[in-house]
């Protein structure tokens, strides 16, 4: 059965990629290119590479770029899911509206470098994100020197974005999705116990032959990230086909500093929290309505953050992949226009 499972997963991935408008010819108003950026890692002693997808409108974008940071066991495809002719592509939708994005693969994921997993922490990943932000300002991506960089994270990626903004102060705004400071730790523990395995044992990711400190989800279990929300079954299957891995050591510092303690008070730029109201993992006790969410989260942020919130009704944890993903993108776009005009 395992060979059939591998073949089926590989076939589905190929079909979804072929069905997606990944070329400029299919969508002439949007241009997406792949980029590799050198970064330092491990106290600056190791040279690594970050891979990312840069999407922008043909003819030029505004002076602001969104740096997209995916969650754990995801990669940059979370922001450009190869399914349904780009219906769930955050990047292409933003580009059609005149906004540039750069979706990076975190170290250890996708096509970025994969060092020894024990070296990867949330703080280290935040330092890499800050380096990528500086490179976007310097014109290293697409030849454009962006004047402003806004971090947009999802789930664990939101925790990393939070740390990058709080510790390095190298960005102009922060959007946190799939996160609050009130998680259901029992439910998250259940996922780790029942649904997580070393990627070395995965029928697809095991081909990377990496150390057992890299973890992923068991095949067919991605529904946990959409639980409670309205989502197409094919989206869950595409999610499973494009899943990735995360270093177990990330949790040790990312959980307390990114999701529990008020480290976020050090952020001095505008912040938006945008979640699904059915996110039972990372917004278990605060997402009944926007007033409750704002009241619960405001004590964790400085006045300079001008905290704003948005909830998509009927969306789960993977809010960018829910049926009303367009509502989520519009809310973020409106917030960006309000805070970073021009």
């Amino acid at each position: 059965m395992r060979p059939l499972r591998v073949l089926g997963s590989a076939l589905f991935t190929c079909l979804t990629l072929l069905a997606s408008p990944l070329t400029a010819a299919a969508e002439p108003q949007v241009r997406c290119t792949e980029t590799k950026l050198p970064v330092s890692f491990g106290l600056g002693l190791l040279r690594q590479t970050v891979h990312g997808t840069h999407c922008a409108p043909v003819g030029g974008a505004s002076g602001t770029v969104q740096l997209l940071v995916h969650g754990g066991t995801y990669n940059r495809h979370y922001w450009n899911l190869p399914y349904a002719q780009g219906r769930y592509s955050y990047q292409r939708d933003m580009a059609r509206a005149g906004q540039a994005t750069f979706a990076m693969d975190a170290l250890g994921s996708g096509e970025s470098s994969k060092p020894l997993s024990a070296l990867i922490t949330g703080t280290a990943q935040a330092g890499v994100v800050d380096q990528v932000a500086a490179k976007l300002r310097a014109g290293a991506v697409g030849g454009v020197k962006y004047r402003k960089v806004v971090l947009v994270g999802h789930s664990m990626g939101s925790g990393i974005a939070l740390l990058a903004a709080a510790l390095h102060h190298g960005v102009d705004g922060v959007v946190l999705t799939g996160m609050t400071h009130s998680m259901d730790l029992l439910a998250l523990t259940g996922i780790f116990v029942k649904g997580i395995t070393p990627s070395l044992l995965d029928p697809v990711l095991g081909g990377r032959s990496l150390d057992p400190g890299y973890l992923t989800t068991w095949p067919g279990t991605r529904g946990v990230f959409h639980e409670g929300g309205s989502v197409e079954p094919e989206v869950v299957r595409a999610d499973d086909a494009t899943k990735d891995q995360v270093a177990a050591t990330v949790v040790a510092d990312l959980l307390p500093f990114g999701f529990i303690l008020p480290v976020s008070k050090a952020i001095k730029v505008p912040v938006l929290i945008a979640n699904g109201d059915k996110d039972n993992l990372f917004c278990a006790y605060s997402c009944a309505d926007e007033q409750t969410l704002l009241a619960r989260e405001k004590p964790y942020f400085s006045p300079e953050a001008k905290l704003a919130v948005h909830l998509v009704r009927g969306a789960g944890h993977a809010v960018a992949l829910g049926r009303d993903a367009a509502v989520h993108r519009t809310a973020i776009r409106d917030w960006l226009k309000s805070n970073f005009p021009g």
Side-chain angles (χ1 to χ4, degrees):
M1 290 299 291
R2 177 162 287 187
L4 290 176
R5 181 183 290 171
V6 174
L7 178 61
S9 178
L11 179 61
F12 182 82
T13 302
C14 290
L15 290 174
T16 52
L17 285 170
L18 287 172
S20 180
L22 297 178
T23 65
E27 194 172 4
Q29 69 269 39
V30 175
R31 177 176 174 80
C32 293
T33 56
E34 302 300 307
T35 301
K36 291 186 180 294
L37 299 171
V39 295
S40 61
F41 181 70
L43 300 177
L45 300 177
L46 301 176
R47 302 299 295 174
Q48 303 287 292
T49 300
V50 165
H51 185 100
T53 303
H54 177 242
C55 289
V58 172
S62 69
T64 300
V65 63
Q66 300 175 53
L67 174 50
L68 312 179
V69 188
H70 61 79
T73 73
Y74 282 93
N75 53 38
R76 71 189 188 282
H77 293 304
Y78 174 79
W79 308 102
N80 194 11
L81 191 72
Y83 166 72
Q85 298 298 303
R87 186 189 311 162
Y88 294 95
S89 176
Y90 182 100
Q91 287 195 276
R92 291 182 174 275
D93 185 66
M94 288 293 172
R96 283 191 291 268
Q99 305 214 4
T101 58
F102 184 71
M104 60 176 280
D105 283 331
L107 289 187
S109 304
E111 296 181 58
S112 289
S113 297
K114 299 169 183 64
L116 184 68
S117 66
L119 298 176
I120 301 179
T121 65
T123 305
Q125 292 280 34
V128 170
V129 167
D130 184 64
Q131 291 177 60
V132 174
K135 291 179 184 295
L136 287 165
R137 292 186 192 276
V141 177
V144 180
K145 293 184 178 181
Y146 289 104
R147 297 189 304 275
K148 294 184 178 180
V149 179
V150 177
L151 293 182
V152 183
H154 172 249
S155 192
M156 278 190 177
S158 285
I160 291 168
L162 185 155
L163 289 181
L167 300 178
H168 299 282
H169 306 285
V171 298
D172 302 282
V174 182
V175 178
L176 306 172
T177 76
M179 79 86 67
T180 65
H181 289 86
S182 61
M183 302 170 295
D184 187 336
L185 292 175
L186 188 61
L188 289 169
T189 300
I191 292 175
F192 269 87
V193 172
K194 298 177 182 178
I196 296 294
T197 178
S199 60
L200 192 63
L201 302 180
D202 185 81
V204 176
L205 297 177
R208 293 175 176 174
S209 300
L210 297 171
D211 72 77
Y214 281 110
L215 307 177
T216 191
T217 53
W218 282 108
T221 63
R222 301 296 284 187
V224 68
F225 297 127
H226 307 271
E227 193 171 295
S230 179
V231 60
E232 293 185 52
E234 293 82 3
V235 166
V236 180
R237 286 192 281 272
D239 186 337
D240 195 43
T242 57
K243 73 176 184 180
D244 217 289
Q245 62 191 20
V246 64
T249 46
V250 149
V251 178
D253 66 334
L254 189 61
L255 184 63
F257 298 129
F259 292 93
I260 297 177
L261 299 173
V263 175
S264 47
K265 274 187 170 293
I267 299 175
K268 305 301 182 183
V269 295
V271 176
L272 169 68
I273 297 177
N275 292 331
D277 73 338
K278 302 302 182 185
D279 185 346
N280 298 320
L281 297 175
F282 284 81
C283 196
Y285 311 111
S286 301
C287 284
D289 53 63
E290 291 178 351
Q291 292 77 16
T292 300
L293 177 58
L294 183 61
R296 292 279 180 86
E297 286 298 309
K298 206 164 185 178
Y300 289 93
F301 292 89
S302 69
E304 293 90 339
K306 302 175 184 176
L307 182 64
V309 301
H310 183 266
L311 289 175
V312 178
R313 294 296 173 190
H317 178 58
V319 59
L321 303 181
R323 290 184 187 273
D324 286 326
V327 175
H328 176 64
R329 298 190 299 260
T330 297
I332 294 174
R333 191 160 46 241
D334 289 346
W335 178 85
L336 287 166
K337 289 179 180 178
S338 175
N339 286 276
F340 308 100

